[in-house]
Amino acid sequence: MGGWHAFPGGRMAAADAAAPVRGAMDGEKAFLASGQFASQQACALRELFEEAGILSATGPAPDEVDLEAARAGLLDGGLDFADWLVANGLALDASRLRFAGRWVTPPLSPIRFDATFFLMEWPPGEASQPSVIPGELTSGEWIRPADALDRWMSGDVLVAHPTLETLRVLADDGPEGRRRLWRSEAGRPDSPRVIEFRPAVRAIPLRTRTLPPATHTNTLLLGGAKLILVDPGASDQGELERLCEIVDEVSRETGGHLTAVILTHHHADHVDGAGFVRQHYAVPVWAHEATAARLADRDIDVDRCLRGGETIETGGSLPLRIRMLHTPGHASGHLCLFEERCATLLCGDMLSGYGSVVINPPDGNMADYLDSLERLSALGARVALPSHGSMFPDAAKALRDARDHRLWREGRVLDAWNSGLRDPDRMVAPVYGELESPLRLVAARQVLAHLERLDATGRIAGLPREVRESLGKVVESRP
């Protein structure tokens, strides 16, 4: 999670189990009930020393030279921390830790974290004070929880949802409020049902009929006084009922109410729940006119057609100004939403945290997709939140990488064409490698989309009639 702000911490190592630990942690009973292991205390204390230079240990205090050498050894991977502790007659002091909750990432991303949080008081009178060695970390500082929240609210920093909730608890109640974070049942960590990636920009991962390897679509709940729901794509009744529970919870917290549903495009994993939400809350559905046309025969009524360039404001104590952007390519009616206050791009299926976006002719068009990426790059967005996967902390890089990858893939399609291949199905192997069905069908449609663009730009000639005919066929591969 490069580019994000976090408390000191990191991945548990096998050697942490060998580190000597003394003392009983405050909240140890709740910690053990959460299903975690004592070695996580050793991990937390090791990472704290490595990243911040703070060593919480019992035994004879090493001098500053030895501490600096040990820390350097941890940073470059050459030090066995457990052996070093034993050799110096030290044991990690867990009695200074206070358990502050366990969280696990919900299934919105292929990379998930199981994170345990601790608090520790470290008075200014202690011999060692925190310091950051540039490399693993960019920077580090003491900061009051309320000040950290102010920086997050301004859009200047990125924090993961468990860190955000911990900061809110500390700002409200101080260290004793940590008991509010002991919500886990025995052996089950907290997994947030809604993730506030940016102020008043909340993602709700819902299980949908999407393409593997993705299993969920991020439904977005935006604003405060006027809440807007984007892409309720679940078809399962239980998932839709859970969605409504979350909408109701946020409505109570903000004092607002749901005012509309926006659909970024017409694909099933973005629209399957729109009719249910429309009826349940008696709210209108908004989408681009091309999306409305495709949904007309699917019993999903679109009450207002949105155009690129128009803006929507949500009001309340934290008003959002959301600009609509027409970005065809993945779908002819695809819309992105640009939240102007924190420069957040809600990019739908223009980007994906699960590999490449599918461009499926005839509604998908590779030339339009690349043009839309180019226009989005000019926005100056700080971050980008896709419909599948987690947030990209550098929107410009994510958009550039997506475009570069497409052009690289197009080069492989051109190489296959120049080698004499003309059938998109036969071009899949040299372009993508060996794939299993249904991914092979999806890949063949991508090859076709690239061939269409290469033909339109004059880089190839003589596209076979059957290939031209297949450009007009609607082919979908759904689980």
Side-chain angles (χ1 to χ4, degrees):
M1 298 182 70
W4 296 66
H5 284 68
F7 301 121
R11 185 192 301 260
M12 228 173 61
D16 289 329
V21 180
R22 301 286 183 269
M25 176 180 61
D26 185 3
E28 188 160 13
K29 183 177 179 180
F31 167 72
L32 295 174
S34 76
Q36 297 295 61
F37 309 98
S39 54
Q40 286 183 313
Q41 299 172 59
C43 171
L45 294 171
R46 173 183 56 76
E47 288 281 353
L48 184 63
F49 177 51
E50 181 178 334
E51 294 186 350
I54 292 177
L55 180 64
S56 173
T58 62
D63 61 33
E64 287 298 318
V65 173
D66 287 342
L67 283 175
E68 289 178 9
R71 189 179 177 196
L74 276 176
L75 287 168
D76 66 22
L79 178 74
D80 186 307
F81 191 46
D83 285 350
W84 179 82
L85 290 168
V86 171
N88 286 273
L90 299 172
L92 296 173
D93 186 4
S95 68
R96 301 187 70 157
L97 294 176
R98 305 182 186 186
F99 177 55
R102 177 189 176 195
W103 299 78
V104 67
T105 310
L108 86 164
S109 171
I111 300 175
R112 301 176 69 183
F113 298 91
D114 187 340
T116 299
F117 285 70
F118 305 95
L119 302 181
M120 178 194 289
E121 287 191 28
W122 198 257
E126 294 280 355
S128 296
Q129 289 299 308
S131 64
V132 169
I133 299 175
E136 184 176 358
L137 306 179
T138 302
S139 63
E141 62 183 303
W142 282 115
I143 188 167
R144 297 180 183 276
D147 294 337
L149 286 173
D150 285 344
R151 287 169 62 180
W152 179 79
M153 289 292 289
S154 69
D156 292 337
V157 300
L158 305 178
V159 295
H161 189 85
T163 304
L164 177 63
E165 286 300 305
T166 303
L167 288 169
R168 284 171 168 164
V169 167
L170 293 175
D172 289 345
D173 300 329
E176 291 308 310
R178 75 191 189 285
R179 289 179 173 80
R180 286 168 49 191
L181 300 167
W182 295 357
R183 294 189 294 264
S184 303
E185 300 174 14
R188 297 184 62 186
D190 285 330
S191 185
R193 300 199 302 169
V194 56
I195 304 167
E196 196 168 359
F197 278 107
R198 300 285 265 174
V201 175
R202 311 166 190 87
I204 306 166
L206 296 180
R207 189 172 64 256
T208 60
R209 296 189 298 147
T210 191
L211 286 173
T215 56
H216 289 63
T217 300
N218 294 329
T219 293
L220 303 180
L221 186 57
L222 312 177
K226 297 178 180 179
L227 293 168
I228 296 173
L229 195 67
V230 181
D231 286 355
S235 57
D236 177 77
Q237 182 71 20
E239 287 288 89
L240 290 171
E241 290 174 357
R242 184 169 67 89
L243 171 63
C244 292
E245 289 175 3
I246 294 170
V247 171
D248 293 343
E249 287 173 7
V250 174
S251 296
R252 288 192 293 269
E253 291 170 2
T254 62
H257 63 283
L258 189 66
T259 59
V261 172
I262 292 178
L263 305 178
T264 60
H265 59 294
H266 70 278
H267 293 157
D269 56 333
H270 294 256
V271 307
D272 272 355
F276 177 90
V277 174
R278 183 179 190 272
Q279 183 176 14
H280 184 83
Y281 288 103
V283 294
V285 172
W286 303 342
H288 189 270
E289 61 181 358
T291 299
R294 289 190 165 270
L295 295 177
D297 61 350
R298 293 178 54 182
D299 199 28
I300 299 176
D301 295 325
V302 173
D303 303 282
R304 172 183 168 186
C305 288
L306 298 171
R307 302 182 309 278
E310 63 180 294
T311 58
I312 298 168
E313 299 190 12
T314 62
S317 59
L318 186 63
L320 301 183
R321 180 180 170 87
I322 302 167
R323 193 191 327 162
M324 310 306 302
L325 307 166
H326 181 214
T327 51
H330 175 65
S332 58
H334 193 283
L335 292 171
C336 288
L337 289 70
F338 183 56
E339 192 281 294
E340 296 181 345
R341 178 179 174 275
C342 292
T344 302
L345 176 62
L346 311 175
C347 59
D349 277 356
M350 286 299 298
L351 297 172
S352 175
Y354 291 86
S356 300
V357 171
V358 173
I359 309 299
N360 183 14
D363 194 56
N365 182 279
M366 189 64 70
D368 287 346
Y369 178 68
L370 292 171
D371 177 66
S372 291
L373 288 175
E374 194 75 21
R375 288 188 291 109
L376 291 175
S377 296
L379 280 175
R382 296 183 186 179
V383 300
L385 180 57
S387 291
H388 306 285
S390 190
M391 189 166 70
F392 293 98
D394 186 338
K397 181 180 184 301
L399 291 164
R400 183 173 61 251
D401 287 351
R403 190 172 189 277
D404 289 348
H405 177 75
R406 287 294 182 177
L407 293 176
W408 170 80
R409 186 76 72 185
E410 189 163 279
R412 298 195 65 166
V413 172
L414 182 59
D415 289 344
W417 176 274
N418 288 337
S419 73
L421 294 175
R422 296 294 182 266
D423 182 354
D425 289 326
R426 294 184 60 197
M427 296 172 80
V428 167
V431 172
Y432 285 91
E434 294 300 326
L435 297 174
E436 299 291 332
S437 180
L439 292 181
R440 185 176 179 83
L441 172 61
V442 173
R445 302 300 291 180
Q446 308 307 287
V447 170
L448 192 62
H450 281 295
L451 289 174
E452 182 182 28
R453 181 175 182 273
L454 289 168
D455 181 52
T457 56
R459 298 175 68 192
I460 64 173
L463 209 59
R465 179 176 58 83
E466 58 271 20
V467 173
R468 290 189 181 280
E469 290 176 350
S470 66
L471 284 168
K473 294 179 180 178
V474 178
V475 178
E476 290 194 4
S477 177
R478 296 284 171 188

